[in-house]
Amino acid sequence: MSYFENFMKANQAYVELHGTLNLPIRPKTKVAIVTCMDSRLHVAHALGLALGDAHILRNAGGRVTEDMIRSLVISQQQMGTREIVVLHHTDCGAQTFKNEEFQAHLERTFGLDVSDQDFLPFTDVEESVREDMELLRQSPLIPADVVISGAVYDVDTGRMTEVQ
Ligand SMILES: [Zn+2]
């Protein structure tokens, strides 16, 4: 049995709370948040977001990748967002490995050469936020007047600290 059945059950109760909202497709705050998939980071709760407020784009590490840019371009050009927050966090899974050893692990596991693939690990979380903010600033697909902010979320305390 998978966990999926529990989700289906929980959703029945959620539907009662949710009601029928008919919210607009464009996020109310005009903000897109780029963050990590970490299960200890409940973005909406931590940032005071309600349904319909913001786009939340997540991947491993909350890194600015080609696909993250793809989502941001759709977010901005189709859904009207004009501000981006890069939110990384303490004790991130992207800090638990180095490219070379992870590539070797994958080669042993799958018999595939992934030596040209960057899994975007990092050691300094503030530095990774700055790097990703810089990638956004340099992207020709992100307008220069888009407001870009960065922060680190502490998974132990729930506190968010701005990164300049
Ligand atoms: Zn993480």
Side-chain angles (χ1 to χ4, degrees), residues 56-134:
I56 301 172
L57 314 177
R58 307 185 76 156
N59 67 18
R63 304 312 311 267
V64 172
T65 60
E66 204 178 310
D67 193 63
M68 203 54 107
I69 298 278
R70 178 190 71 87
S71 296
L72 285 168
V73 170
I74 293 168
S75 174
Q76 297 184 336
Q77 303 302 320
Q78 293 292 330
M79 308 293 168
T81 63
R82 295 206 309 248
E83 182 171 344
I84 303 170
V85 176
V86 175
L87 180 62
H88 293 180
H89 66 93
T90 59
D91 194 34
C92 185
Q95 293 171 302
T96 62
F97 64 92
K98 292 189 168 39
N99 262 327
E100 302 71 37
E101 67 195 30
F102 193 51
Q103 286 158 351
H105 163 75
L106 293 171
E107 185 161 353
R108 283 194 303 275
T109 306
F110 299 109
L112 290 170
D113 179 8
V114 290
S115 56
D116 61 344
Q117 196 168 340
D118 187 352
F119 290 90
L120 304 173
F122 57 82
T123 47
D124 183 328
V125 66
E126 289 185 21
E127 203 44 50
S128 65
V129 170
R130 284 190 202 100
E131 267 175 32
D132 284 340
M133 288 166 76
E134 191 53 33

Side-chain angles (χ1 to χ4, degrees), residues 20-34:
T20 303
L21 297 175
N22 301 122
L23 292 167
I25 192 171
R26 295 162 84 89
K28 194 167 120 186
T29 62
K30 299 187 174 160
V31 176
I33 295 152
V34 173

